[in-house]
Amino acid sequence: MLMDRITRLFGTLSGWGYVIVFGLTVYEVVCRFAFNAPTTWVLETCILVGGLGYLFAGPLAQQERAHIRIETLYVHVGERMRRALDLLADVLAVLYGGALVYAALLIALPAIRRGEHTGSAFNSPEPVILKSAIAVAALLFALQALRNLFARRRNHR
Amino acid sequence: MTPGELTLLILALLSLQLLAAVPLAIATGLTAVVTALLAFGPNSLIVIANRFYELSTSYTLLAVPLFILMGCILEKGGVTEQLFAAMHRSTGRLRGGLAVGTIGAATVLAGMVGVVGAEIVTLGLVALPAMLRRGYHKRLALGTIAAGGSLGSMIPPSVLLVVYGLIANVSISELFLAAVVPGLLLAGAYALYVLVLCRLRPDYAPLARDLDPADAPKGSLLGVLLPVGIILLVLGSLYAGVATPTEAAALGVLGALLAAAINRRLSLALLNESVQQTIRAVGSVTWIFFGANALVAVYALGGGLGFVRESVTGLALDPWLLILLLMGVFMVLGTFLDWIGIATLTLPIFVPLIVSQGFDPVWFGILFCVNMQVSYLSPPFGPACFYLKSVTPPGISLGDIFRSVVPFIAIQMVVLAIIALFPGLSLWLPALSR
């Protein structure tokens, strides 16, 4: 299904982002320690790539139903009740994702309008990208929860 | 809405959702959303978005995925296996030797990894199957891993101590030194408990009839040298002032890759698997982290912080009773809040309070640390148990894990009392270095 594939693509890419962060950070340490020539761009790039990673890992965990839940009561109830609880979890995830999109737009739209930059020596547009990414990741999170909800209903027919 | 009402609303929303098995990441975040909407209106949701933004731009937080990646590579590269095998061989003739070896390996791993999630995931993938295969009781196996793995929050490099140092304005290297003896004391107490238990209940830990061939691979010297090398790389770069924690973590990943190469296991497939595992762990942990922090931010906005502070200072207590009360607050909060939430919420109030009563903030930091280990294990929010659950075979429920950690929580309480009554245990090493 297309939705699953989009979520997985974003998730996998953000996972490899941490390999990039690792490589850049080692490069920075070598530059600074061995050549006494610290860079201006590694730190901000790492923060940007790492930040995207956290955000898109959430929808991926939603797709894989890997978000951690407390099952103490869940394991003791019957099949029908479990189905109802699963449904509730998906509906709440859709609501949470939706609210998060709205919340993210509250900070992303002003950042885009102002063309917000970090204001450092490197002065990257990291705030614009990351603040927008929160909205995109939240949207993906909500849509994936919706997709899970319908997939669950189909499976139970 | 008064802070008292706000507190009740948050507790009600959160506990209802958690009982209904709503995932933690959603329950904490949605509680933040609903509370903000009810108390302050739609525009206040900006507080939640800001928490997401600030946390995702935290450079120090980047150490977490890097340490997890390092742990995954170490595990897939065979290093953890070798360390574990070396520990097993040296404890092989003992009843319960596998569990004692696991605690030993956990202690070395704590020095190597320093992030509880990564350590427990690693141990859960390596030590748990080994112990279950040998016929160890699942409670013993699970409890050993959850408790041993939590040592990562105490034995340096520990992210928890770094955060404490920043909030309490205490030297981080002094905190690291102060944690060494209490950390080893805790590990020793766990090992002692396992030995005594196995003596009393031999069925919990069957002896191997023959030495399992899987337990006796070659290259035992390598198994000890590689981990020690990585510890020196990570800790050395930190102490020498060459690297920040995040940079030290990146060097750790480099060390892990080198170790995998020495073991001739380095490949693109290994890296890809490690990346997949890392992002899965990052996804299920950071969204809880973000949601819980957003909730704390909304609570703070509603005056919850001042509400707690006034309730505590209004009592005018005996100094030691105050310490006891603060520990109690940590314990209670620890059952439903993550340590970063507890640290940011309480430490700015508590540390000045205990310093004004003549207590040492470094010592208090170690007490806080042991307290947070209890909260790592205690239900319903015991993160160590959730980390472990994410890698256990399907037959093991979260309830099994929570039951397995009960005796270890009791041990932590005893050690906590010892550390509280004898401040010298924590303070002599830092004093020596001054």
Side-chain angles (χ1 to χ4, degrees):
Chain A
M1 170 98 190
L2 184 66
M3 192 62 236
D4 292 331
R5 253 187 261 155
I6 294 172
T7 306
R8 296 201 59 78
L9 177 70
F10 273 98
T12 309
L13 284 180
S14 53
W16 280 94
Y18 291 115
V19 178
I20 296 173
V21 170
F22 147 69
L24 289 179
T25 306
V26 171
Y27 173 78
E28 164 78 20
V29 173
V30 171
C31 279
R32 194 181 57 218
F33 188 60
F35 303 107
N36 199 20
T39 67
T40 55
W41 55 274
V42 163
L43 183 83
E44 281 190 27
T45 311
C46 285
I47 286 175
L48 176 62
V49 174
L52 291 173
Y54 307 131
L55 294 173
F56 288 106
L60 181 72
Q62 185 68 22
Q63 196 266 330
E64 297 184 340
R65 299 172 203 261
H67 278 299
I68 288 158
R69 58 203 306 203
I70 295 172
E71 290 170 327
T72 325
L73 228 60
Y74 183 84
V75 293
H76 292 296
V77 297
E79 186 61 27
R80 280 175 65 106
M81 188 65 186
R82 270 189 215 180
R83 246 183 257 172
L85 290 178
D86 287 342
L87 200 71
L88 176 73
D90 282 341
V91 170
L92 292 183
V94 175
L95 290 178
Y96 176 45
L100 213 50
V101 173
Y102 176 78
L105 288 179
L106 287 179
I107 61 170
L109 291 179
I112 294 169
R113 225 173 285 134
R114 268 179 296 157
E116 194 182 346
H117 282 55
T118 48
S120 63
F122 182 46
N123 203 23
S124 72
E126 171 259 286
V128 174
I129 300 175
L130 265 187
K131 286 175 181 175
S132 316
I134 300 174
V136 177
L139 184 66
L140 216 54
F141 189 86
L143 290 177
Q144 187 62 55
L146 207 60
R147 147 96 183 118
N148 286 5
L149 200 145
F150 284 113
R152 232 194 269 279
R153 284 185 64 90
R154 232 194 340 267
N155 288 346
H156 290 320
R157 286 257 165 79
Chain B
M1 203 179 285
T2 69
E5 289 165 359
L6 197 72
T7 311
L8 282 179
L9 175 69
I10 289 174
L11 288 179
L13 284 173
L14 203 57
S15 46
L16 277 178
Q17 288 183 82
L18 295 184
L19 281 176
V22 176
L24 294 180
I26 296 157
T28 49
L30 196 60
T31 303
V33 167
V34 172
T35 310
L37 284 177
L38 287 178
F40 313 106
N43 280 335
S44 67
L45 290 185
I46 201 167
V47 175
I48 295 166
N50 275 329
R51 290 312 300 154
F52 267 67
Y53 177 66
E54 277 160 33
L55 287 176
S56 54
T57 53
S58 153
Y59 183 61
T60 315
L61 189 62
L62 264 183
V64 175
L66 289 180
F67 274 129
I68 295 178
L69 182 62
M70 166 182 155
C72 292
I73 296 171
L74 283 175
E75 185 258 311
K76 293 184 200 307
V79 178
T80 313
E81 225 171 279
Q82 286 174 347
L83 172 66
F84 197 60
M87 287 289 172
H88 277 181
R89 248 195 314 284
S90 45
T91 52
R93 308 237 167 271
L94 277 171
R95 190 174 280 286
L98 276 183
V100 174
T102 301
I103 291 166
T107 312
V108 178
L109 269 176
M112 215 158 47
V113 182
V115 174
V116 170
E119 198 183 340
I120 289 183
V121 166
T122 309
L123 285 171
L125 288 171
V126 181
L128 186 63
M131 282 193 277
L132 293 180
R133 209 166 42 228
R134 179 73 70 81
Y136 273 48
H137 195 288
K138 67 180 175 187
R139 295 247 178 99
L140 174 63
L142 293 168
T144 305
I145 291 172
S150 299
L151 286 171
S153 66
M154 184 125 191
I155 291 174
S158 146
V159 180
L160 200 154
L161 286 173
V162 173
V163 170
Y164 180 88
L166 289 174
I167 296 178
N169 204 11
V170 178
S171 151
I172 287 165
S173 64
E174 268 191 36
L175 281 168
F176 276 8
L177 284 174
V180 170
V181 174
L184 293 179
L185 188 66
L186 207 48
Y190 292 155
L192 190 69
Y193 162 74
V194 168
L195 287 176
V196 171
L197 178 75
C198 294
R199 183 56 58 93
L200 296 176
R201 295 288 305 267
D203 56 309
Y204 268 46
L207 279 173
R209 262 170 238 107
D210 308 298
L211 204 57
D212 191 336
D215 287 348
K218 49 212 172 307
S220 62
L221 191 63
L222 206 64
V224 180
L225 283 185
L226 283 179
V228 169
I230 291 167
I231 292 181
L232 288 180
L233 186 67
V234 172
L235 283 186
S237 63
L238 263 180
Y239 276 108
V242 179
T244 61
T246 305
E247 289 167 351
L251 290 177
V253 174
L254 184 68
L257 287 173
L258 286 177
I262 292 172
N263 285 342
R264 295 166 190 272
R265 291 221 200 157
L266 187 60
S267 67
L268 201 61
L270 175 140
L271 196 57
N272 188 37
E273 277 171 38
S274 305
V275 165
Q276 298 288 349
Q277 199 180 334
T278 301
I279 197 68
R280 210 159 291 139
V282 167
S284 55
V285 170
T286 49
W287 277 60
I288 296 178
F289 189 66
F290 287 7
N293 269 269
L295 180 57
V296 170
V298 171
Y299 187 55
L301 190 69
L305 236 136
F307 173 71
V308 174
R309 188 193 300 138
E310 277 158 33
S311 315
V312 172
T313 47
L315 298 171
L317 298 163
D318 173 82
W320 277 98
L321 209 59
L322 178 71
I323 293 281
L324 213 61
L325 181 76
L326 298 189
M327 298 292 119
V329 173
F330 287 149
M331 296 277 172
V332 173
L333 289 179
T335 59
F336 63 93
L337 266 181
D338 66 329
W339 67 266
I340 187 93
I342 299 172
T344 49
L345 187 71
T346 64
L347 291 179
I349 313 163
F350 286 4
V351 174
L353 221 58
I354 62 109
V355 170
S356 73
Q357 300 284 338
F359 292 110
D360 189 312
V362 171
W363 166 77
F364 190 70
I366 304 306
L367 288 187
F368 176 72
C369 208
V370 179
N371 251 300
M372 289 306 104
Q373 294 211 38
V374 177
S375 85
Y376 264 120
L377 297 185
S378 61
F381 249 107
C385 302
F386 292 115
Y387 290 124
L388 183 53
K389 177 72 180 77
S390 69
V391 291
T392 49
I396 288 170
S397 73
L398 199 55
D400 284 331
I401 300 176
F402 276 132
R403 270 188 294 276
S404 75
V405 298
V406 171
F408 291 93
I409 293 179
I411 296 171
Q412 289 172 335
M413 297 286 193
V414 173
V415 172
L416 181 63
I418 293 173
I419 295 168
L421 291 174
F422 303 100
L425 285 174
S426 316
L427 297 176
W428 73 273
L429 251 179
L432 221 62
S433 76
R434 266 188 217 127

